[in-house]
Amino acid sequence: MRHRIFGEDGDTDLVFVMGWGNRWTHENVSWLIGKLTDAGYRVHAFELPTNIDDFKADWLEPIAEYVLELEEYQLLGHSAGALVGQALDGADNHVYLSPWWGYSEAYPEPLLDVVAKLPTTFPCLPIGEMDREALGEKATDHQLATLPRWVSPAFVRETRRAQAELLTIDHDAIVFCSLRDPVVSLAPIGERVPADHVVLYDGGHELFSAVSRDRHIDTLLAALEDGADALEEDPKADEEEPVSA
């Protein structure tokens, strides 16, 4: 697992667990990290390995051990990073972007049941189409070209197990998500997070690749600083945006 600190002179520690396939060299990820450091955060960014055979050993434990060394921190997790983040201890505030707490309907349960039983860690399963429509209109050619295209049956098995073992989500957690997200299931979000703690944006799977990202960045920063109180201060933050046809 790769780890890097941005904004070492920042006043507040922030752990940013990126999503599957995200890299800090991706332009839109870099945009978000820049906004975080400009806000005074010392950003501890983690790139998740794209193929795993043990969720806890390969994803959770390295970050869980790392945060033990931080006296206090804020947590930001995107997609698979939010699956890891919900199992971390010690964060003051929790903000999740398009949390991957369940596979979307694009991946039928019977098919997932079958492939998860295959005894191999070789990445032989195509992930499907991941283009600008799926991720966000600001997704760049570099990002799309470097996105992995395959996962292993072991990856499916372990991520589904982690999703099935989701902990109770912190009562002050804030979730940013899109109703048009083709990657994650929205059902676990609705089951675990109060509706007034959910901020809807117009776009695909990645808020930082959405054309509406500038409208929401101040709300995101406020949520990291103040938790759920940030949405009470901004009554427009949880209003649904019109969805493009």
Side-chain angles (χ1 to χ4, degrees):
M1 180 180 298
R2 296 211 305 166
H3 160 254
R4 181 175 172 184
I5 298 176
F6 296 85
E8 295 202 33
D9 295 333
D11 299 323
T12 304
D13 288 305
L14 183 147
V15 173
F16 177 25
V17 189
M18 292 184 276
W20 182 89
N22 287 150
R23 297 290 178 260
W24 50 66
T25 56
H26 291 162
E27 294 86 344
N28 295 323
V29 174
S30 179
W31 173 87
L32 178 54
I33 292 175
K35 293 293 184 181
L36 297 171
T37 56
D38 287 347
Y41 288 109
R42 183 184 306 107
V43 179
H44 305 258
F46 290 87
E47 291 185 355
L48 297 177
T50 57
N51 193 36
I52 62 172
D53 55 20
D54 188 306
F55 170 79
K56 290 183 178 179
D58 296 334
W59 277 2
L60 176 59
E61 290 176 355
I63 304 177
E65 292 175 4
Y66 183 92
V67 300
L68 289 176
E69 302 299 321
L70 301 177
E71 291 187 7
E72 56 184 30
Y73 69 96
Q74 314 293 14
L75 175 67
L76 177 64
H78 168 63
S79 193
L83 182 60
V84 175
Q86 56 83 33
L88 296 175
D89 293 324
D92 291 334
N93 292 311
H94 305 72
V95 176
Y96 300 120
L97 310 179
S98 307
W100 192 39
W101 295 335
Y103 279 79
S104 77
E105 295 179 356
Y107 306 92
E109 286 291 326
L111 178 60
L112 294 174
D113 288 339
V114 171
V115 300
K117 295 177 182 178
L118 299 175
T120 179
T121 60
F122 182 74
C124 56
L125 304 172
I127 64 169
E129 189 65 37
M130 289 294 174
D131 54 14
R132 287 185 179 86
E133 183 177 357
L135 298 180
E137 292 183 38
K138 286 185 175 290
T140 64
D141 291 341
H142 170 243
Q143 175 185 355
L144 296 174
T146 56
L147 186 69
R149 298 296 176 182
W150 306 84
V151 296
S152 70
F155 176 94
V156 174
R157 181 169 59 252
E158 284 299 301
T159 52
R160 291 183 80 209
R161 176 180 297 148
Q163 291 166 350
E165 296 174 354
L166 276 177
L167 302 177
T168 301
I169 304 303
D170 183 271
H171 70 282
D172 283 334
I174 302 297
V175 167
F176 291 74
C177 63
S178 168
L179 297 180
R180 294 192 290 131
D181 192 328
V183 177
V184 306
S185 172
L186 299 178
I189 299 172
E191 292 167 358
R192 290 173 168 81
V193 180
D196 57 357
H197 289 195
V198 176
V199 180
L200 296 176
Y201 67 88
D202 186 19
H205 181 57
E206 296 178 344
L207 173 61
F208 42 84
S209 294
V211 294
S212 61
R213 67 187 188 182
D214 289 316
R215 177 175 184 250
H216 295 285
I217 187 62
D218 288 343
T219 304
L220 190 157
L221 294 173
L224 286 169
E225 182 175 356
D226 298 324
D229 290 342
L231 299 189
E232 296 178 5
E233 296 168 3
D234 183 3
K236 294 184 179 180
D238 59 356
E239 290 181 357
E240 181 178 351
E241 296 184 1
V243 177
S244 302

